[in-house]
Amino acid sequence: MAKSTVRANDSGRALYLLGGIEVRGVPADTADRLLAQSKVVALLAFLALSPPGRHQRRDRLVGLLWPELDQAHARGALRKAVHAIRGALGDDVLVGRGDEELMLASDLLSCDAREFTEHADAGRLARALELYRGELMPGFHLGGCAEFGSWLDQERASVAHAAAAAAWALAIRMEANEKFTEAGGMARQVMQYEWSDERVLRRTMVMLQRIGDRAGAIRVFEDFARRLRAELDTEPSAETAVLAATIRKG
């Protein structure tokens, strides 16, 4: 896949959340100090992925990130996190509305995950996939913050589904244009994004068979079956197994 790039802004500051977590456009030691603070990272990500132009209530933020603290201490922790973000990225990167609301200035801090969603929603599928370097915030977890964990799980699933949908639409387009090698590669890419969905697997297998890549169809099935056994200790469904057997028979 092409190297990920994020739209430039005047400040040059950028937050990367896909396939890893990075901050660019500031000195490396400044970025390292910021990223070492898990709840600061969580706050930054939550604000970056909020709908454009929407302020977030401080009560909502402290409930997400400091549920174990009473209101006074939770608000103090939020103030420290806001101070850390502004100290690293500039006072202008967080916009307040009164004393109770916060918003990220998206024109001053670009974010690959936000831009991925914008391009995917607008139908700029190839551009969206250039930005998709992998899972949203892989391996990131906040102990004791169940509500934030649920939000992050939903965001991860949504972004992965959007990447799979974009790749599938491009595969169909390439097949229609008789670019069968490219179509097959893009169809296999879909399985990287939603590997555990057997409907996606069967659809991919059928396309690969249809464009003459029967071996590729069997290979994606076998890769899926191995991973299913290793990670979930189960077997493919009967419907998927029958499809694989049918393809094997030609």
Side-chain angles (χ1 to χ4, degrees), residues 143-158:
C145 297
E147 188 177 353
F148 176 83
S150 295
W151 170 83
L152 183 55
D153 286 344
Q154 291 173 3
E155 290 293 319
R156 281 177 177 149
S158 177

Side-chain angles (χ1 to χ4, degrees), residues 204-206 208-209 213-222 247:
T204 300
M205 292 167 65
V206 169
L208 291 171
Q209 180 191 36
D213 187 6
R214 188 172 67 174
I218 297 302
R219 189 159 53 249
V220 296
F221 168 75
E222 292 175 343
I247 293 174

Side-chain angles (χ1 to χ4, degrees), residues 76-139:
L78 175 59
R79 284 193 296 272
K80 289 180 181 178
V82 168
H83 179 74
I85 291 171
R86 285 176 168 156
L89 301 176
D91 290 341
D92 52 355
V93 79
L94 292 181
V95 179
R97 187 165 65 183
D99 295 329
E100 292 299 319
E101 294 182 318
L102 281 174
M103 183 178 72
L104 188 74
S106 58
D107 57 329
L108 298 178
L109 183 72
S110 56
C111 175
D112 61 345
R114 183 179 62 238
E115 293 185 15
F116 163 81
T117 300
E118 291 173 357
H119 287 297
D121 289 347
R124 296 185 291 270
L125 306 181
R127 178 69 184 109
L129 290 181
E130 287 179 8
L131 290 165
Y132 192 78
R133 300 183 299 161
E135 182 183 56
L136 178 70
M137 301 179 73

Side-chain angles (χ1 to χ4, degrees), residues 13-248:
R13 291 164 285 184
L15 173 66
Y16 289 78
L17 300 176
L18 297 174
I21 304 174
E22 298 177 63
V23 172
R24 300 181 189 173
V26 298
D29 59 339
T30 300
D32 289 343
R33 284 196 300 271
L34 188 70
L35 297 179
Q37 303 173 71
S38 295
K39 292 199 175 181
V40 172
V41 173
L43 174 61
L44 195 55
F46 184 79
L47 293 175
L49 296 178
S50 294
R54 179 180 297 178
H55 287 75
Q56 294 291 340
R57 298 281 301 175
R58 286 179 182 258
D59 286 345
R60 165 80 165 141
L61 298 174
V62 298
L64 273 176
L65 300 176
W66 293 277
E68 76 283 5
L69 300 180
D70 61 46
Q71 187 69 198
H73 287 91
R75 281 179 167 260
L78 175 59
R79 284 193 296 272
K80 289 180 181 178
V82 168
H83 179 74
I85 291 171
R86 285 176 168 156
L89 301 176
D91 290 341
D92 52 355
V93 79
L94 292 181
V95 179
R97 187 165 65 183
D99 295 329
E100 292 299 319
E101 294 182 318
L102 281 174
M103 183 178 72
L104 188 74
S106 58
D107 57 329
L108 298 178
L109 183 72
S110 56
C111 175
D112 61 345
R114 183 179 62 238
E115 293 185 15
F116 163 81
T117 300
E118 291 173 357
H119 287 297
D121 289 347
R124 296 185 291 270
L125 306 181
R127 178 69 184 109
L129 290 181
E130 287 179 8
L131 290 165
Y132 192 78
R133 300 183 299 161
E135 182 183 56
L136 178 70
M137 301 179 73
F140 188 85
H141 174 73
L142 286 183
C145 297
E147 188 177 353
F148 176 83
S150 295
W151 170 83
L152 183 55
D153 286 344
Q154 291 173 3
E155 290 293 319
R156 281 177 177 149
S158 177
V159 171
H161 180 73
W168 183 253
L170 287 174
I172 292 293
R173 187 183 302 172
M174 291 167 177
E175 182 187 14
N177 291 330
E178 298 186 354
K179 296 179 178 179
F180 298 130
T181 300
E182 293 90 337
M186 193 60 66
R188 285 188 291 272
Q189 196 165 304
V190 174
M191 288 304 302
Q192 297 176 24
Y193 304 149
E194 288 194 308
W195 78 267
S196 63
D197 190 328
E198 288 200 46
R199 294 171 300 176
V200 172
L201 171 66
R202 290 193 293 270
R203 189 173 61 179
T204 300
M205 292 167 65
V206 169
M207 170 179 273
L208 291 171
Q209 180 191 36
R210 188 167 64 234
I211 64 177
D213 187 6
R214 188 172 67 174
I218 297 302
R219 189 159 53 249
V220 296
F221 168 75
E222 292 175 343
D223 290 344
F224 168 82
R226 278 193 295 271
R227 187 169 179 181
L228 199 64
R229 295 184 195 107
E231 299 191 19
L232 301 178
D233 193 26
T234 189
E235 296 289 333
S237 68
E239 182 179 356
T240 303
V242 167
L243 175 60
T246 301
I247 293 174
R248 279 194 177 97

